Amino acid sequence: MNPTSYLVLATILFTLGSGGVLLRRNALVAFMSVELMLNAANLAFVAFARMHGALDGQIVAFFVMIIAAAEVVIGLAIIVMIFRTRRSASVDDASLLKL
Amino acid sequence: MIAPSIEYSALLPMIIVFGAGVVGVLVEAFVPRRFRHAVQVILALAALAAAFVQVVRLGGTEIIGAVGSVAIDGPALFLQGTVLVLAFISMFFFAERRIEAGGNAFAPAASSLPGSEEERVLVQQRALQTEIYPLSMLAVGGMMLFPAANDLLAMFVALEVLSLPLYILCGMARRRRLLSQEAAMKYFLLGAFASGFFIFGASFVYGFAGSLEFAEIDAALGARVGQEGLLLAGVGMMAVGLLFKIGAVPFHAWTPDVYQGAPTQVTAFMAACTKLAAFGAMMRLFYVGLGGIRTDWQPMLWAVAIATMVVGIVVALSQTDIKRMLAYSSIAHGGFILTAFVAVDELAIAAILFYLAAYGFVTLGAFAVVTLVRDAGGEATHLSKWAGLGRRSPLLAATFGLFLLALAGIPLTSGFVGKLTVFTAAFQGGAMPLVIVGVLVSAVAAFFYVRVIVLMFFSDPAPEGPTVAVPSVWTTAGIAVGAVATIVLGVLPGPLLDLAEQAALFIR
């Protein structure tokens, strides 16, 4: 199996995700972009697993999903806490720690 | 189908610590509030001590367990033991209750709004934050797994398991809660971003090698021609994830903000232990898995090492906040360790192991001293407030001076021996330019560490300066252990150096 097209798609998703983290000002959207990056990695893992005819890449995808879920729990807790305090989820407003 | 065999005795230290984390969560649910703090502290300390005893008993073990995903060997055991000792001392600082009248350094309920009625009532009731103990146990478990992880998946899981509790711990400060929450959000977003790079890079390396295990990746390095682009892209992105955890330039931007905003006890814990675990993981990945293409990754790490040392020290010079200053200094120390990292041999591994242990004790002690210098708003971290501290409380200032001298690398402190060993290893590994940069940068660094000492001892105290809190026996004991370790490792480094040399062999 030739994984090239899957890899191109994964790379596009990853680029979109990392671009989103860097460019979007809303913490929730930035966080969603991180999840997109993880899913891009999942796609690449599954494509490579198919290419190698091995299962371990698909197992990694499961683990990454579970970790992403754990990350959501923690990330939303932190972002909601900040939102309740400041009434804003913009990463630009959180700038007390600049020198 | 055959059930996989798990080497439980070799994994026992990690199982104990993770188990204590899980039991700690149950303690939160079932033990009445007034006993909870005592139970959690005893549980945490007992688990760390038991795990340490088991690590010592495992000394000399060399096995790859858990179906190839965890390697228990010299470096792993050395780093696990060090993490356990450092975490044990960190728990002393977490358990301190005298500095903040009627509480510890953490918000009674992290979910309560800063300045709200709910928070006020909880403070009045002297409610104690006890969730920090299970959270830190889970983080310690991740830190023990990270340097032992022997495949890409275990390494990613360990990376997340150690990071996720730390994100929360950073946001739990009792005072200056907005700063603390902001630090948590920055650490979380950037940390998740970096681990995204790590796992995407791991997928490329997997695609190249067809296996997750480091030994098989190593075997595939020479065998597959024409796919080097895939491999190198993967290695580069994995390096981003690991260098982020180490706080190496250019992935250091989070360090000063998080170190400053997090509760100082947590800063001490994470500055000492995260760096240690991350270097352990990085050594295993790059030496065991990717040792065959070292000529490809060495130039990248050369550049990172130089940038890390120079940027860390130069920016530290202009800091006015003591926690930010220590943060930049910790970035620079990551650079010093990287100089030995590029000289892939046993001497370098031993040097890095020793440096990490020595640096851990110094950092714990230095940040613990910061928790004691206080004014009405909490910790007085602005440098100008530290003026004349040596006249008001000579002992505390002298202890902090000792830690600063160790960070500067003055002889008779552990910092000197550490720097000497890493620079020797780098020199013998042929990284002469790195050694020259390192020595020059150390000279500049000595200037700003000594500047703080001069400020403490030879300038007049500010009229409304901070007071020095009298801590309970917890913090006193923790700082004392840090100071004693700093001197002992400086005067008699032999035993620990020997141990590091014996441990400096990765199992493949």
Side-chain angles (χ1 to χ4, degrees):
Chain A
M1 187 199 100
N2 186 359
T4 311
S5 40
Y6 295 95
L7 279 189
V8 170
L9 178 61
T11 311
I12 291 172
L13 286 176
F14 187 82
T15 315
L16 282 176
S18 51
V21 177
L22 295 173
L23 297 174
R24 298 303 293 264
R25 301 291 90 186
N26 186 306
L28 276 174
V29 179
F31 181 42
M32 279 160 59
S33 304
V34 169
E35 298 295 311
L36 195 58
M37 292 166 69
L38 293 182
N39 281 321
N42 273 351
L43 181 61
F45 264 115
V46 173
F48 282 127
R50 185 89 171 81
M51 181 181 90
H52 289 297
L55 276 179
D56 38 10
Q58 302 190 16
I59 295 169
V60 173
F62 278 116
F63 275 86
V64 173
M65 277 186 237
I66 294 165
I67 286 168
E71 222 169 54
V72 167
V73 172
I74 305 243
L76 283 187
I78 292 172
I79 293 170
V80 166
M81 181 171 74
I82 296 235
F83 180 77
R84 285 176 62 210
T85 313
R86 295 172 194 260
R87 295 277 137 214
S88 150
S90 165
V91 283
D92 283 348
D93 290 348
S95 58
L96 292 170
L97 281 166
K98 270 190 206 143
L99 195 65
Chain B
M1 190 166 168
I2 306 159
S5 76
I6 307 281
E7 293 73 5
Y8 286 104
S9 71
L11 305 178
L12 195 58
M14 284 178 270
I15 295 173
I16 294 173
V17 173
F18 279 127
V22 175
V23 174
V25 174
L26 295 176
V27 168
E28 284 298 309
F30 294 111
V31 174
R33 193 177 268 277
R34 66 204 144 100
F35 303 122
R36 223 180 271 167
H37 189 261
V39 173
Q40 291 282 25
V41 173
I42 292 168
L43 177 68
L45 290 179
L48 292 174
F52 182 74
V53 169
Q54 181 61 18
V55 165
V56 172
R57 282 178 53 195
L58 283 171
T61 313
E62 283 201 330
I63 56 164
I64 292 180
V67 206
S69 52
V70 178
I72 302 294
D73 53 7
L77 287 171
F78 186 94
L79 291 172
Q80 288 185 343
T82 317
V83 163
L84 286 167
V85 172
L86 294 174
F88 193 82
I89 302 171
S90 304
M91 290 305 116
F92 289 8
F93 303 142
F94 282 25
E96 172 67 51
R97 287 165 65 185
R98 194 181 289 172
I99 301 177
E100 292 279 358
N104 50 18
F106 300 88
S111 58
S112 63
L113 275 184
S116 66
E117 180 67 15
E118 185 193 1
E119 185 192 36
R120 202 182 57 75
V121 169
L122 282 169
V123 169
Q124 232 171 26
Q125 289 172 345
R126 306 200 156 191
L128 270 178
Q129 175 61 261
T130 50
E131 290 160 13
I132 46 174
Y133 299 103
L135 282 172
S136 45
M137 281 307 103
L138 295 173
V140 170
M143 287 164 184
M144 291 167 70
L145 180 59
F146 204 25
N150 198 43
D151 69 18
L152 297 172
L153 179 56
M155 190 167 268
F156 179 63
V157 171
L159 171 70
E160 291 293 322
V161 169
L162 88 85
S163 304
L164 293 177
L166 282 180
Y167 300 148
I168 302 192
L169 283 171
C170 284
M172 291 176 109
R174 185 184 192 89
R175 310 255 188 154
R176 300 187 184 133
R177 291 189 59 195
L178 290 187
L179 281 185
S180 175
Q181 294 180 353
E182 186 180 314
M185 184 171 81
K186 284 183 174 169
Y187 194 18
F188 169 74
L189 279 180
L190 292 174
F193 189 47
S195 55
F197 272 93
F198 179 88
I199 192 67
F200 197 58
S203 76
F204 279 18
V205 173
Y206 169 71
F208 169 81
S211 171
L212 296 166
E213 278 175 44
F214 291 168
E216 291 184 36
I217 292 171
D218 185 51
L221 287 180
R224 284 167 213 269
V225 188
Q227 293 182 14
E228 283 83 1
L230 197 62
L231 174 70
L232 292 182
V235 172
M237 283 195 279
M238 289 181 78
V240 171
L242 291 170
L243 290 170
F244 173 88
K245 279 289 152 208
I246 287 164
V249 177
F251 315 107
H252 67 293
W254 62 278
T255 317
D257 283 0
V258 173
Y259 280 23
Q260 186 190 4
T264 309
Q265 287 82 354
V266 174
T267 310
F269 170 57
M270 102 186 146
C273 297
T274 312
K275 201 176 280 279
L276 197 136
F279 264 111
M282 201 164 150
M283 280 197 286
R284 192 177 298 281
L285 173 66
F286 278 82
Y287 291 0
V288 178
L290 304 167
I293 52 160
R294 72 182 64 157
T295 44
D296 288 316
W297 53 257
Q298 269 168 335
M300 168 184 82
L301 288 183
W302 271 60
V304 170
I306 291 176
T308 307
M309 288 188 285
V310 172
V311 171
I313 292 297
V314 169
V315 184
L317 282 173
S318 63
Q319 296 305 310
T320 52
D321 184 284
I322 198 103
K323 281 169 87 177
R324 283 184 92 85
M325 193 198 86
L326 288 173
Y328 278 107
S329 131
S330 101
I331 293 173
H333 282 275
F336 294 137
I337 302 175
L338 280 174
T339 60
F341 193 95
V342 294
V344 193
D345 60 13
E346 271 182 48
L347 188 66
I349 299 172
I352 293 172
L353 293 179
F354 180 85
Y355 199 111
L356 287 168
Y359 169 80
F361 283 110
V362 176
T363 311
L364 274 185
F367 278 110
V369 171
V370 173
T371 64
L372 298 181
V373 181
R374 308 177 72 83
D375 59 14
E379 286 156 14
T381 52
H382 199 276
L383 259 184
S384 64
K385 296 190 175 163
W386 286 56
L389 197 71
R391 301 196 187 168
R392 236 179 267 152
S393 49
L395 186 63
L396 184 90
T399 316
F400 195 65
L402 171 71
F403 293 133
L404 288 177
L405 290 177
L407 288 173
I410 304 294
L412 295 182
T413 61
S414 59
F416 174 73
V417 184
K419 269 197 183 139
L420 190 67
T421 50
V422 292
F423 287 156
T424 312
F427 176 69
Q428 295 194 352
M432 192 60 196
L434 284 185
V435 178
I436 293 173
V437 174
V439 171
L440 286 178
V441 161
S442 301
V444 180
F447 164 74
F448 80 78
Y449 293 121
V450 171
R451 192 187 61 174
V452 177
I453 297 177
V454 169
L455 183 78
M456 285 193 301
F457 283 98
F458 300 108
S459 56
D460 292 320
E464 290 182 6
T467 53
V468 172
V470 181
S472 67
V473 66
W474 289 112
T475 302
T476 316
I479 295 177
V481 173
V484 169
T486 304
I487 294 175
V488 169
L489 293 182
V491 180
L492 284 174
L496 191 70
L497 272 177
D498 286 345
L499 190 66
E501 270 166 33
Q502 282 168 23
L505 193 64
F506 282 101
I507 185 173
R508 279 159 202 280

